[in-house]
Amino acid sequence: MAEESAPVYDIEDYQKVTEGKATILFPKHNEVFYNPVQEFNRDMSIAAIRTWRDIAWDEKMARYNKSTNPNKVQPPKKFTVLEALAASGLRSVRYAKEIEDIDYILTNDLLADAVESIKRNVHYNGLSQTLVRANQGDAISVMYAHRENDRFDVVDLDPYGTAAPFIDGAIQAAKKGALLCVTCTDLAVLASCNHPETCFAKYGGNPLKSEFCHELALRLVIHSLQQTASRYGRYIEPLLSCSIDFYVRIFVRVHYSPILVKSVASKTGVVYHCKSCGTYTSQPFGTMQAREGNNAKYYVASGPTVDQKCANCESKQEVGGPCWLGPLHNKDFVKRMYDSVNKAGKKGFGTQPRMKGMLKVILEELDDAPFHYTLRELCSAVHTSCPPLVKVNSAILNAGYRVSSVHTRQGSIKTDAPPEVIWDIMRALVKEGGRSSKITEGSPADRILAKEITTKVDFTEHKDANPESRRIKLVRYQINPEKYWGPKARHTENPKTKNPDAKRKQEEATTDAAAADSNGGEAKKPKTE
């Protein structure tokens, strides 16, 4: 690829923003979208791509060393990256400067001023235009243009809002074994019941207003990724799924494997959720029975797994999903990434303390128990005060079950214990502390407490009740990173509010339109640019 002439710009017209090893020039009127809170997103992405690169290289070399072909050729170590929605180009510049072995990055954006910003920042950071290739185009068209040839090893989707329109193109533009990085910032859709029809239209499943709504958001996005991939005989392996601040960030690997696609039904299903007490039960759509070798027999699951009313408080249940019910993370991947981040230190990543905390909590999560309770929710259901979380965790562990926290919610209880055991523990807590006078006869709390305790409940502190991430005082749950944090306004090219002449013409058009209403529709035509 031939080098273009260097962009011309006056450094006095720009403000400098340094993040990682990159220093980006932003026009003083901030023409291109930038959000400093997303530094954590970019740090996690760099660490994830490095980890994927090392694992992919190990796999290539293992196949190379195993081959007996006398004419075998050592596979290339370099890999390609597509950033489909690049804005200022900060992410691509950081990737180029902080990740080794990149062949080239195609840095794409639809807007001309964003592409100019990319070229300017590539030049200012001393990078070649062959390494970071600025491209103006529609992201979907660019990805479809690479679905047959020149697919990418890493495809990064970081849109403003939902990634849903870009998922099909991203799956098709990804090579065998590629890493797909996906951000969705529309948690008002994914993690609430405000717009279930919108969520279903975008992701193919219903959200729930629940304590596990952020975990369900992750599972809805993965479900959308997997359903799209399945159409092309490809299987999505979640490597790391993070709920962060106001968005989700998911790293998955794309496998070309029709055999693995057959297992998708057994890892996909719905969740039943009681609106009163928070009890949940998942229901996969299929089951799989292993046979000799790598063979398996697949069946339709029987159901439903619950009655119309909750077995604990006799309240109505609601249905969430369809969603992904399989593991959210690959623990080997997360462990390698955690070790890499730990070794890099604060000089390697500006948000390293938070990265370590989140990755450590994820390592501690149970990966075969979808969804979770919270201590606040359980205690609220039976009108009792919250004991230390360690006390409840100990009771679960002493009863012979497993328990962990989750990174998506503080005070969470993820466990493989059945609901009846959890509510027996809560009944024992109420029995120990006394029943609240506010519980009325026939209420959900009264119906829960009316049942006899059938589990032997032991609150003796268990050695595993307090997770290591808490004991070593990692940053497990982030406080608000800054004042007025959150998603910034969507960037538009040459916004009219920034152009006084355009604003004046818009005001004239509005005045003329009002005059037309008062004069029976007779007025001069509004001025347009």
Side-chain angles (χ1 to χ4, degrees), residues 26-44:
F26 282 96
K28 292 181 178 177
H29 61 274
N30 197 19
E31 73 181 27
V32 176
F33 182 81
Y34 172 70
N35 189 351
V37 174
Q38 289 274 38
E39 180 182 1
F40 181 71
N41 181 325
R42 290 181 279 268
D43 282 353
M44 290 286 281

Side-chain angles (χ1 to χ4, degrees), residues 309-329:
K309 291 188 176 180
C310 174
N312 298 287
C313 70
E314 301 176 22
S315 299
K316 289 183 179 180
Q317 303 203 80
E318 53 188 356
V319 185
C323 65
W324 176 257
L325 296 179
L328 292 175
H329 322 284

Side-chain angles (χ1 to χ4, degrees), residues 210-222:
S210 63
E211 294 294 302
F212 56 76
C213 61
H214 289 90
E215 179 178 329
L216 179 56
L218 292 170
R219 295 183 179 279
L220 286 167
V221 176
I222 295 173

